[in-house]
PDB file of all heavy atoms in Angstrom:
ATOM      1  N   ARG A 756       8.826 -88.158  28.682  1.00 72.00           N
ATOM      2  CA  ARG A 756       8.704 -89.409  27.973  1.00 72.00           C
ATOM      3  C   ARG A 756       9.903 -90.060  27.618  1.00 72.00           C
ATOM      4  O   ARG A 756      10.062 -90.630  26.534  1.00 72.00           O
ATOM      5  CB  ARG A 756       7.719 -89.203  26.759  1.00 72.00           C
ATOM      6  CG  ARG A 756       6.471 -88.521  27.007  1.00 72.00           C
ATOM      7  CD  ARG A 756       5.545 -88.432  25.722  1.00 72.00           C
ATOM      8  NE  ARG A 756       5.177 -89.763  25.404  1.00 72.00           N
ATOM      9  CZ  ARG A 756       4.036 -90.378  25.915  1.00 72.00           C
ATOM     10  NH1 ARG A 756       3.356 -89.793  26.803  1.00 72.00           N
ATOM     11  NH2 ARG A 756       3.696 -91.645  25.456  1.00 72.00           N
ATOM     12  N   GLU A 757      10.879 -90.168  28.452  1.00 75.00           N
ATOM     13  CA  GLU A 757      12.214 -90.864  28.211  1.00 75.00           C
ATOM     14  C   GLU A 757      12.313 -91.996  28.985  1.00 75.00           C
ATOM     15  O   GLU A 757      11.590 -92.248  29.846  1.00 75.00           O
ATOM     16  CB  GLU A 757      13.367 -89.775  28.353  1.00 75.00           C
ATOM     17  CG  GLU A 757      13.329 -89.152  29.638  1.00 75.00           C
ATOM     18  CD  GLU A 757      14.280 -88.007  29.744  1.00 75.00           C
ATOM     19  OE1 GLU A 757      15.123 -87.727  28.799  1.00 75.00           O
ATOM     20  OE2 GLU A 757      14.261 -87.244  30.741  1.00 75.00           O
ATOM     21  N   SER A 758      13.311 -92.716  28.614  1.00 78.00           N
ATOM     22  CA  SER A 758      13.675 -93.983  29.479  1.00 78.00           C
ATOM     23  C   SER A 758      15.043 -93.722  30.062  1.00 78.00           C
ATOM     24  O   SER A 758      16.000 -93.418  29.351  1.00 78.00           O
ATOM     25  CB  SER A 758      13.778 -95.186  28.395  1.00 78.00           C
ATOM     26  OG  SER A 758      14.243 -96.271  29.137  1.00 78.00           O
ATOM     27  N   ILE A 759      15.140 -93.887  31.306  1.00 83.00           N
ATOM     28  CA  ILE A 759      16.327 -93.643  32.070  1.00 83.00           C
ATOM     29  C   ILE A 759      16.694 -94.924  32.764  1.00 83.00           C
ATOM     30  O   ILE A 759      15.948 -95.537  33.505  1.00 83.00           O
ATOM     31  CB  ILE A 759      16.139 -92.549  33.169  1.00 83.00           C
ATOM     32  CG1 ILE A 759      15.649 -91.275  32.510  1.00 83.00           C
ATOM     33  CG2 ILE A 759      17.492 -92.295  33.964  1.00 83.00           C
ATOM     34  CD1 ILE A 759      16.603 -90.528  31.664  1.00 83.00           C
ATOM     35  N   LYS A 760      17.887 -95.337  32.522  1.00 90.00           N
ATOM     36  CA  LYS A 760      18.434 -96.682  33.175  1.00 90.00           C
ATOM     37  C   LYS A 760      17.417 -97.825  32.903  1.00 90.00           C
ATOM     38  O   LYS A 760      17.285 -98.762  33.737  1.00 90.00           O
ATOM     39  CB  LYS A 760      18.602 -96.435  34.653  1.00 90.00           C
ATOM     40  CG  LYS A 760      19.619 -95.447  34.969  1.00 90.00           C
ATOM     41  CD  LYS A 760      19.888 -95.308  36.557  1.00 90.00           C
ATOM     42  CE  LYS A 760      20.903 -94.309  36.841  1.00 90.00           C
ATOM     43  NZ  LYS A 760      21.198 -94.186  38.220  1.00 90.00           N
ATOM     44  N   GLY A 761      16.769 -97.731  31.695  1.00 91.00           N
ATOM     45  CA  GLY A 761      15.833 -98.929  31.373  1.00 91.00           C
ATOM     46  C   GLY A 761      14.426 -98.752  31.976  1.00 91.00           C
ATOM     47  O   GLY A 761      13.587 -99.516  31.696  1.00 91.00           O
ATOM     48  N   PHE A 762      14.310 -97.714  32.784  1.00 94.00           N
ATOM     49  CA  PHE A 762      12.796 -97.459  33.410  1.00 94.00           C
ATOM     50  C   PHE A 762      12.067 -96.562  32.534  1.00 94.00           C
ATOM     51  O   PHE A 762      12.527 -95.651  31.815  1.00 94.00           O
ATOM     52  CB  PHE A 762      13.149 -96.732  34.796  1.00 94.00           C
ATOM     53  CG  PHE A 762      13.546 -97.651  35.949  1.00 94.00           C
ATOM     54  CD1 PHE A 762      14.871 -97.570  36.272  1.00 94.00           C
ATOM     55  CD2 PHE A 762      12.640 -98.389  36.607  1.00 94.00           C
ATOM     56  CE1 PHE A 762      15.383 -98.393  37.235  1.00 94.00           C
ATOM     57  CE2 PHE A 762      13.062 -99.294  37.642  1.00 94.00           C
ATOM     58  CZ  PHE A 762      14.344 -99.261  37.984  1.00 94.00           C
ATOM     59  N   THR A 763      10.784 -96.899  32.509  1.00 93.00           N
ATOM     60  CA  THR A 763       9.864 -96.045  31.826  1.00 93.00           C
ATOM     61  C   THR A 763       8.547 -95.880  32.689  1.00 93.00           C
ATOM     62  O   THR A 763       8.416 -96.734  33.628  1.00 93.00           O
ATOM     63  CB  THR A 763       9.392 -96.681  30.470  1.00 93.00           C
ATOM     64  OG1 THR A 763       8.782 -98.018  30.769  1.00 93.00           O
ATOM     65  CG2 THR A 763      10.486 -96.792  29.559  1.00 93.00           C
ATOM     66  N   ALA A 764       7.857 -94.826  32.398  1.00 94.00           N
ATOM     67  CA  ALA A 764       6.707 -94.638  33.158  1.00 94.00           C
ATOM     68  C   ALA A 764       5.713 -93.892  32.344  1.00 94.00           C
ATOM     69  O   ALA A 764       6.116 -92.812  31.651  1.00 94.00           O
ATOM     70  CB  ALA A 764       6.850 -93.886  34.423  1.00 94.00           C
ATOM     71  N   ASP A 765       4.390 -94.290  32.150  1.00 89.00           N
ATOM     72  CA  ASP A 765       3.431 -93.723  31.364  1.00 89.00           C
ATOM     73  C   ASP A 765       2.317 -93.178  32.298  1.00 89.00           C
ATOM     74  O   ASP A 765       1.783 -93.839  33.103  1.00 89.00           O
ATOM     75  CB  ASP A 765       2.835 -94.690  30.359  1.00 89.00           C
ATOM     76  CG  ASP A 765       3.866 -94.983  29.317  1.00 89.00           C
ATOM     77  OD1 ASP A 765       4.537 -94.025  28.803  1.00 89.00           O
ATOM     78  OD2 ASP A 765       3.955 -96.142  28.925  1.00 89.00           O
ATOM     79  N   LEU A 766       1.904 -91.921  31.923  1.00 91.00           N
ATOM     80  CA  LEU A 766       0.787 -91.302  32.794  1.00 91.00           C
ATOM     81  C   LEU A 766      -0.478 -91.848  32.112  1.00 91.00           C
ATOM     82  O   LEU A 766      -0.770 -91.724  30.971  1.00 91.00           O
ATOM     83  CB  LEU A 766       0.874 -89.771  32.601  1.00 91.00           C
ATOM     84  CG  LEU A 766      -0.261 -89.052  33.314  1.00 91.00           C
ATOM     85  CD1 LEU A 766      -0.201 -89.315  34.855  1.00 91.00           C
ATOM     86  CD2 LEU A 766      -0.110 -87.494  33.071  1.00 91.00           C
ATOM     87  N   ASN A 767      -1.317 -92.551  32.966  1.00 92.00           N
ATOM     88  CA  ASN A 767      -2.571 -92.937  32.506  1.00 92.00           C
ATOM     89  C   ASN A 767      -3.696 -92.129  33.271  1.00 92.00           C
ATOM     90  O   ASN A 767      -3.879 -92.362  34.500  1.00 92.00           O
ATOM     91  CB  ASN A 767      -2.801 -94.476  32.954  1.00 92.00           C
ATOM     92  CG  ASN A 767      -3.989 -95.027  32.450  1.00 92.00           C
ATOM     93  OD1 ASN A 767      -5.077 -94.446  32.369  1.00 92.00           O
ATOM     94  ND2 ASN A 767      -4.030 -96.248  32.000  1.00 92.00           N
ATOM     95  N   LYS A 768      -4.209 -91.196  32.610  1.00 91.00           N
ATOM     96  CA  LYS A 768      -5.138 -90.225  33.280  1.00 91.00           C
ATOM     97  C   LYS A 768      -6.428 -90.860  33.658  1.00 91.00           C
ATOM     98  O   LYS A 768      -7.074 -90.528  34.597  1.00 91.00           O
ATOM     99  CB  LYS A 768      -5.397 -89.065  32.334  1.00 91.00           C
ATOM    100  CG  LYS A 768      -4.167 -88.094  32.207  1.00 91.00           C
ATOM    101  CD  LYS A 768      -4.511 -86.870  31.424  1.00 91.00           C
ATOM    102  CE  LYS A 768      -3.256 -85.919  31.357  1.00 91.00           C
ATOM    103  NZ  LYS A 768      -3.474 -84.674  30.641  1.00 91.00           N
ATOM    104  N   GLY A 769      -6.826 -91.892  32.865  1.00 93.00           N
ATOM    105  CA  GLY A 769      -8.087 -92.616  33.197  1.00 93.00           C
ATOM    106  C   GLY A 769      -7.953 -93.337  34.526  1.00 93.00           C
ATOM    107  O   GLY A 769      -8.939 -93.392  35.255  1.00 93.00           O
ATOM    108  N   GLU A 770      -6.894 -93.939  34.711  1.00 94.00           N
ATOM    109  CA  GLU A 770      -6.716 -94.713  35.888  1.00 94.00           C
ATOM    110  C   GLU A 770      -5.914 -93.919  36.979  1.00 94.00           C
ATOM    111  O   GLU A 770      -5.627 -94.440  38.158  1.00 94.00           O
ATOM    112  CB  GLU A 770      -5.873 -95.962  35.624  1.00 94.00           C
ATOM    113  CG  GLU A 770      -6.527 -97.000  34.640  1.00 94.00           C
ATOM    114  CD  GLU A 770      -5.813 -98.202  34.483  1.00 94.00           C
ATOM    115  OE1 GLU A 770      -4.697 -98.386  35.107  1.00 94.00           O
ATOM    116  OE2 GLU A 770      -6.343 -99.123  33.788  1.00 94.00           O
ATOM    117  N   THR A 771      -5.614 -92.651  36.626  1.00 95.00           N
ATOM    118  CA  THR A 771      -4.836 -91.720  37.500  1.00 95.00           C
ATOM    119  C   THR A 771      -3.615 -92.572  38.089  1.00 95.00           C
ATOM    120  O   THR A 771      -3.439 -92.591  39.379  1.00 95.00           O
ATOM    121  CB  THR A 771      -5.719 -91.111  38.755  1.00 95.00           C
ATOM    122  OG1 THR A 771      -6.262 -92.203  39.430  1.00 95.00           O
ATOM    123  CG2 THR A 771      -6.734 -90.263  38.190  1.00 95.00           C
TER     124      THR A 771
END
Side-chain angles (χ1 to χ4, degrees):
Chain A
R756 304 185 68 83
E757 51 192 349
S758 172
I759 305 291
K760 300 184 181 183
F762 285 98
T763 59
D765 289 316
L766 180 60
N767 185 324
K768 291 186 178 179
E770 296 183 358
T771 59

